[in-house]
């Protein structure tokens, strides 16, 4: 009999109790922790007898930080450094064609925010990096090369910043004088443009969020990962997603609503058969953190959990990605 893996006090997973309650891991089940991070969800799943977990993270630091848990799992935890949009292919490469559950915790982790050298946070000065993985363009590259119009679109679409045009205009003017290469330089610049009231979020919050999402193509990754989970989950398998801002939550909500309804034939293509629902939505409203968790972990305040159960219907065709700005088009001036 395989013994459960002992819990580890180093990290408190956001909505950990609620994730386990909706995921309902069972003895002997196979689960995907699509955003491994510090491994909080994986530890909880591995506490269930004979479970197997495939953990995915594009952050090499997160993967290396999980090696101790791999050792203590007696072969029940496999870690893969990759984008979570590739979760179906990753599982297939491990010889797994169907799983009992997939959990995702979307966005930047507290570990990434706390490390100034990663450039995610304006609270400590560091290089303007923001990459979740080891390669690719940095936020400083985007700030240096994107046009004023593209910067305004990025900041408005991905940061929902009402003053996006003014911020973009200030960035373009400032970079003519000197490169904007650090988090503090960008935060100070934005704070001169966006005026907040006492008690409001930092004026640079939305601009930093926009650049991080854009650099890491986070919303595209989320859409692709949701479709991949739909393909991989077996009937009765559960999908649990924790998100931290309205853009992510809206994508998850719309995806599940679309998959949970019967798709009728189109009048343009009347021969198309009705497509049965591939998911049953379990959370009619998003689940949020209890007061005790918010007190001990303030990051949980903005967290929203949505859960759904896979039906026995075939997966729907993958959804086309929205036509928002991409790294390729912006950096080549397209």
């Amino acid at each position: 009999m395989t013994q459960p893996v002992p819990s580890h006090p180093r990290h408190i997973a956001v909505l950990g109790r609620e994730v386990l309650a909706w995921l309902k891991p069972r003895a002997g089940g196979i689960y995907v922790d699509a955003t491994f991070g510090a491994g909080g969800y994986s530890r909880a799943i591995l506490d269930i007898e004979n479970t197997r977990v495939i953990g995915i993270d594009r952050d090499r630091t997160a993967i290396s930080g999980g090696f101790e848990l791999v050792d203590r799992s007696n072969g029940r935890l496999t870690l893969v450094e990759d984008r979570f949009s590739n979760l179906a292919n990753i599982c297939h490469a491990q010889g797994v064609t169907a799983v009992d559950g997939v959990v995702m915790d979307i966005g930047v982790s507290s570990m990434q925010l706390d490390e100034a050298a990663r450039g995610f946070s304006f609270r400590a000065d560091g290089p303007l990096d923001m990459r979740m993985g080891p390669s690719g363009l940095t936020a400083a590259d985007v700030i240096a090369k994107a046009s004023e119009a593209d910067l305004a679109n990025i900041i408005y679409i991905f940061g929902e910043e009402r003053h996006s045009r003014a911020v973009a205009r200030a960035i373009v003017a400032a970079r003519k004088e000197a490169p904007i290469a650090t988090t503090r330089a960008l935060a100070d610049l934005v704070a001169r443009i966006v005026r907040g009231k006492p008690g409001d979020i930092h004026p640079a919050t939305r601009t930093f969020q926009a650049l991080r999402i854009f650099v890491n193509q986070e919303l595209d990754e989320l859409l692709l990962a949701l479709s991949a989970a739909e393909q991989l989950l077996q009937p009765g398998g559960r999908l649990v997603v924790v998100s931290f801002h309205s853009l992510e939550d809206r994508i998850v909500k719309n995806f599940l609503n679309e998959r949970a309804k019967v798709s009728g034939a189109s009048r343009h293509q009347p021969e198309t058969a009705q497509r049965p629902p591939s998911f049953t939505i379990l959370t009619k409203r998003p689940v949020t953190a209890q007061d005790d968790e918010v007190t001990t972990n303030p990051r949980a305040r903005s967290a929203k959990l949505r859960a759904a159960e896979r039906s026995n219907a075939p997966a729907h065709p993958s959804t086309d990605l929205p036509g928002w700005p991409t790294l390729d088009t912006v950096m080549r001036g397209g």
Side-chain angles (χ1 to χ4, degrees):
M1 179 181 293
T2 304
Q3 294 298 314
V5 173
S7 320
H8 197 292
R10 183 169 64 91
H11 174 71
I12 301 173
V14 173
L15 291 174
R17 293 171 299 192
E18 292 81 357
V19 165
L20 264 289
W22 289 105
L23 189 65
K24 292 184 71 173
R26 60 174 181 81
I30 303 176
Y31 298 88
V32 177
D33 185 348
T35 49
F36 179 76
Y41 299 142
S42 288
R43 286 188 183 88
I45 295 167
L46 290 166
D47 280 342
I48 308 298
E49 187 175 273
N50 292 323
T51 48
R52 178 181 175 189
V53 176
I54 298 173
I56 303 167
D57 207 297
R58 66 198 288 187
D59 189 332
R60 187 165 295 170
T61 302
I63 295 297
S64 61
F67 288 162
E68 180 187 356
L69 185 59
V70 171
D71 291 340
R72 291 191 288 115
S73 73
N74 297 316
R76 294 191 291 128
L77 172 64
T78 301
L79 292 183
V80 179
E81 181 185 336
D82 203 338
R83 296 170 179 260
F84 74 140
S85 59
N86 294 327
L87 67 89
N89 291 334
I90 291 167
C91 288
H92 292 161
Q94 299 295 324
V96 174
T97 57
V99 300
D100 299 288
V102 176
V103 60
M104 306 177 186
D105 177 340
I106 309 303
V108 66
S109 73
S110 55
M111 296 184 303
Q112 291 166 331
L113 286 170
D114 291 343
E115 189 176 344
R118 303 295 298 273
F120 285 104
S121 176
F122 44 76
R123 301 191 186 282
D125 198 20
L128 196 58
D129 192 320
M130 298 195 188
R131 294 172 300 171
M132 291 182 174
S135 61
L137 297 170
T138 67
D141 294 327
V142 174
I143 288 292
K145 297 179 182 178
S147 69
E148 181 178 325
D150 281 335
L151 285 170
N153 282 335
I154 290 165
I155 295 167
Y156 180 75
I157 293 170
F158 300 124
E160 300 180 302
E161 172 57 74
R162 294 184 297 110
H163 304 286
S164 59
R165 291 182 181 178
V167 172
R169 189 161 52 248
I171 288 172
V172 170
R175 75 188 185 189
K176 291 177 181 177
E177 305 298 323
I180 304 170
T182 66
T183 55
R184 182 159 296 160
L186 179 60
D188 289 348
L189 185 155
V190 176
R192 293 194 291 270
I193 305 300
V194 179
R195 300 294 182 180
K197 298 177 182 179
D200 283 354
I201 59 174
H202 189 284
T205 300
R206 294 186 180 91
T207 296
F208 270 64
Q209 172 187 297
L211 286 168
R212 189 203 82 221
I213 288 174
F214 179 71
V215 163
N216 295 291
Q217 300 175 287
E218 290 178 39
L219 301 188
D220 288 351
E221 285 288 299
L222 174 56
L223 278 166
L224 293 169
L226 292 170
S227 291
E230 179 186 16
Q231 297 168 27
L232 191 64
L233 283 164
Q234 64 181 349
R238 291 194 167 191
L239 172 64
V240 179
V241 185
V242 177
S243 60
F244 292 88
H245 62 70
S246 59
L247 288 172
E248 298 164 343
D249 181 59
R250 194 177 306 134
I251 286 173
V252 177
K253 176 184 176 181
N254 291 343
F255 176 88
L256 293 178
N257 283 343
E258 179 66 27
R259 266 36 179 200
K261 69 182 182 182
V262 175
S263 300
S266 166
R267 62 187 179 90
H268 302 293
Q269 295 178 304
E271 72 281 1
T272 302
Q274 286 193 334
R275 188 177 298 118
S278 58
F279 278 103
T280 299
I281 295 174
L282 302 174
T283 50
K284 301 304 180 185
R285 296 179 180 177
V287 177
T288 56
Q290 300 294 315
D291 290 343
D292 61 333
E293 180 174 4
V294 172
T295 299
T296 57
N297 187 5
R299 181 173 179 254
R301 180 178 290 109
S302 59
K304 292 183 177 180
L305 179 156
R306 294 186 186 271
E309 185 171 285
R310 189 71 170 84
S311 74
N312 59 5
H316 290 209
S318 297
T319 305
D320 291 338
L321 296 176
W324 47 44
T326 66
L327 276 169
D328 287 344
T329 57
V330 167
M331 299 309 282
R332 69 168 182 255

